[in-house]
Amino acid sequence: MKKISIVISALAVIVCGCSKEQDTRLLISNQDTNVVSFKAFFEGEDPETKLGINTSSGVLNWANGDAIAVQMTDDTFIPFTYSSTTKEFSATLGAKEVKDGGVAYYPASIAINGTPGSVNLPTSYTIGADAMVCPPMIATVNLGAKSLSLKHLGGILSIKVSHVPTDANKLILTIPGKTVTGTFAVTDDTDDYISAGTGSGSVTLNFTKGVFGTTATEFFFPVPVTTFSSGFTVDFKNAANETLYTHSTAKTTIEAARASIKRMAPLTVPVKLYINSPKPWGAATEYAYLSDDVLSWPGTSYNPDSRTITHEGNTYTKVIDDISAAGSSSNIIIHVNYNDSSTEPWYDPYGKLYRIEIPTVDISNDVYLTLSTNTDGTHKILLRNWSSSGYMDYFHAWYYGESNILGDFPGTAIASMSSIKYEKEDFRYFTATKDKKIGVKAVYYAEKDWNQTNDGWIESLNENYLVTFKNNGTDPHVFGFPDVVATLD
């Protein structure tokens, strides 16, 4: 890797006092305002040599508030701050003077007043959507020169991830056996640089949740010159400081050289399914799976445990660790199994199982789902025809003492009703108003004669119900189970 030399050059547009001559010295002084300023531009076009300053364009553009700390004759530092309006770095020095032969540091925050031979690397950086970071740099101040040349003090460790977890707002690098933040002496033999200390350390990149979307992102950590001998760990965490993803490498030789980027192997961060299930319906077990059978029926059983995280103030359980195998979108199917040991197996071979399907969910990023009880004013009544040949052909239902729900007797043909599919079987269903007593009849049609079962009653429609029957002349068996709805958050 070739060395980087980033040049700040005086463009001499401010004239001192009333002089008409162009000032060719590094600093330009306005004697009326006591403001000292200079203009800057960067040379070099190779994106690899920009050390993550901006790897997409290879160009560093100054932004308002960027600052370079310049040493004064009393060994304090004054920050020269950039203005996009004037295209200048400027500072008001008062009685202070810039030290000829002193040092300048970028970013200005790493300079230490009274200790010009050391810098302080922060424990955290705030980055934007371009993942830009400011690596530490140094320059020697020569007031007679036309330019100020900045050199890198350390290197960059680069980590590219396939997607950033939806709720992540920080990425933390932890390095055992090496100190990568705090105060470092600037070594000057043939080059100025800083070297990592012993011990263990970490550095954090803070960012706005969701700023990186679903695209792959390369993150850059400024580090002192060193060789990592015990690997490192990276953690994505959310605002509650809960770990959303962690990865460790045990690679023993990772060299971070001055003025270079050490790019690690890309990380594939899995896309996860999280579910918030307060279970207001009682002791039910939920299952989740994807409609294209990434997981086999009935899916992954889950209950709140140590795999919980906080999202929008609620607690979610991590249900499926990686749903990315399903592609960019899929149906997510939830089952609620409310078991009742008193239920005879032939009544309900699946337990009181109800399917909730969320169609065509974008699973290119983490999915957060909330389960709750239905509040839309209706519940479903599901029908199970025991025989594959279909003993019962019609279904009749009515509000007790009121109107028919499925038309006059014999009701509605079962084959024409809407269905919910479980693995290999269709359950026909209809909806009815809550908190009413409902009568149901399953009707068998044979040789143009109607044979009617005895009445089955739902005393109060306060949840979903399953009506199952085995053959002609057998009473319908009616029992309820939780009416659960799912909402994408």
Side-chain angles (χ1 to χ4, degrees):
M1 178 68 67
K2 64 184 181 182
K3 293 180 181 178
I4 315 307
S5 181
I6 302 179
V7 179
I8 296 179
S9 177
L11 299 187
V13 294
I14 298 179
V15 179
C16 297
C18 299
S19 172
K20 300 297 184 181
E21 295 182 2
Q22 190 178 48
D23 194 333
T24 59
R25 291 169 56 84
L26 175 67
L27 301 179
I28 302 169
S29 300
N30 186 320
Q31 295 176 347
D32 294 330
T33 62
N34 199 28
V35 172
V36 179
S37 61
F38 55 80
K39 286 197 171 185
F41 68 90
F42 284 80
E43 296 179 342
E45 296 293 333
D46 182 5
E48 273 304 299
T49 68
K50 289 300 179 182
L51 292 177
I53 293 172
N54 190 321
T55 59
S56 59
S57 66
V59 176
L60 172 61
N61 295 313
W62 292 118
N64 279 322
D66 279 344
I68 297 171
V70 179
Q71 183 184 357
M72 301 291 110
T73 53
D74 63 356
D75 287 341
T76 61
F77 285 88
I78 296 288
F80 283 68
T81 305
Y82 181 75
S83 167
S84 60
T85 302
T86 63
K87 311 296 183 185
E88 295 173 349
F89 288 85
S90 60
T92 301
L93 302 184
K96 296 197 175 189
E97 297 180 3
V98 173
K99 182 176 181 178
D100 194 9
V103 293
Y105 291 116
Y106 174 80
S109 58
I110 68 173
I112 303 174
N113 280 327
T115 314
S118 297
V119 294
N120 186 72
L121 297 193
T123 57
S124 65
Y125 299 83
T126 298
I127 59 175
D130 58 1
M132 189 173 73
V133 69
C134 298
M137 291 184 281
I138 186 174
T140 299
V141 178
N142 182 347
L143 296 181
K146 294 182 179 180
S147 63
L148 183 68
S149 297
L150 290 173
K151 296 193 305 181
H152 290 275
L153 285 169
I156 293 284
L157 186 66
S158 160
I159 301 170
K160 189 173 185 179
V161 298
S162 56
H163 101 279
V164 177
T166 304
D167 267 12
N169 72 340
K170 62 180 74 71
L171 177 60
I172 302 172
L173 170 71
T174 301
I175 303 171
K178 298 291 181 180
T179 304
V180 293
T181 63
T183 301
F184 299 89
V186 177
T187 301
D188 185 7
D189 41 20
T190 56
D191 285 308
D192 291 319
Y193 67 95
I194 54 177
S195 181
T198 58
S200 297
S202 65
V203 60
T204 300
L205 301 181
N206 294 308
F207 49 86
T208 302
K209 182 182 75 172
V211 71
F212 297 114
T214 60
T215 59
T217 303
E218 188 172 11
F219 294 91
F220 304 93
F221 291 91
V223 292
V225 173
T226 190
T227 298
F228 303 139
S229 56
S230 300
F232 62 83
T233 298
V234 287
D235 296 283
F236 278 109
K237 294 193 175 187
N238 60 13
N241 210 38
E242 298 163 332
T243 299
L244 304 176
Y245 172 79
T246 185
H247 172 81
S248 296
T249 177
K251 188 175 180 180
T252 57
T253 304
I254 304 172
E255 184 180 359
R258 194 194 71 79
S260 67
I261 303 173
K262 179 61 178 180
R263 283 186 164 92
M264 305 304 297
L267 299 181
T268 299
V269 179
V271 179
K272 303 182 188 305
L273 171 64
Y274 298 95
I275 294 180
N276 171 32
S277 177
K279 294 188 176 180
W281 45 86
T285 299
E286 290 89 49
Y287 298 84
Y289 80 112
L290 303 181
S291 58
D292 52 0
D293 293 329
V294 171
L295 298 173
S296 61
W297 170 272
T300 298
S301 172
Y302 61 93
N303 287 288
D305 57 18
S306 59
R307 293 156 51 94
T308 58
I309 65 164
T310 303
H311 171 74
E312 303 297 342
N314 295 315
T315 299
Y316 286 72
T317 299
K318 184 171 59 177
V319 177
I320 302 178
D321 287 311
D322 190 358
I323 62 176
S324 58
S328 60
S329 64
S330 179
N331 293 349
I332 292 178
I333 300 170
I334 308 298
H335 293 95
V336 178
N337 190 345
Y338 188 73
N339 293 309
D340 184 347
S341 59
S342 66
T343 301
E344 297 181 36
W346 69 265
Y347 288 176
D348 180 20
Y350 298 113
K352 299 177 182 180
L353 195 60
Y354 178 49
R355 166 179 174 138
I356 309 163
E357 183 166 333
I358 304 93
T360 319
V361 177
D362 177 8
I363 58 176
S364 60
N365 212 337
D366 301 326
V367 176
Y368 289 87
L369 205 63
T370 292
L371 301 184
S372 59
T373 51
N374 178 29
T375 59
D376 71 357
T378 63
H379 290 303
K380 287 185 176 64
I381 300 176
L382 283 73
L383 316 173
R384 186 173 189 276
N385 207 354
W386 180 257
S387 171
S388 60
S389 61
Y391 286 117
M392 304 301 173
D393 304 293
Y394 282 74
F395 202 79
H396 186 219
W398 65 98
Y399 296 116
Y400 182 75
E402 299 182 36
S403 59
N404 291 322
I405 298 173
L406 297 175
D408 294 335
F409 184 84
T412 298
I414 289 176
S416 67
M417 297 172 68
S418 299
S419 65
I420 296 176
K421 188 174 181 63
Y422 289 105
E423 195 176 23
K424 298 178 180 178
E425 185 173 357
D426 286 326
F427 284 71
R428 303 293 173 166
Y429 74 93
F430 63 95
T431 58
T433 303
K434 294 192 299 184
D435 300 324
K436 288 189 176 184
K437 185 175 182 178
I438 293 175
V440 293
K441 291 180 179 180
V443 181
Y444 173 61
Y445 181 73
E447 298 179 357
K448 299 184 179 179
D449 292 326
W450 294 106
N451 257 327
Q452 177 179 323
T453 66
N454 295 329
D455 293 348
W457 295 104
I458 297 172
E459 293 297 330
S460 177
L461 188 65
N462 54 16
E463 57 184 347
N464 283 330
Y465 282 81
L466 176 65
V467 178
T468 182
F469 39 89
K470 189 171 184 180
N471 53 42
N472 184 26
T474 302
D475 289 345
H477 295 272
V478 181
F479 49 85
F481 61 98
D483 186 359
V484 182
V485 294
T487 305
L488 282 172
D489 299 332

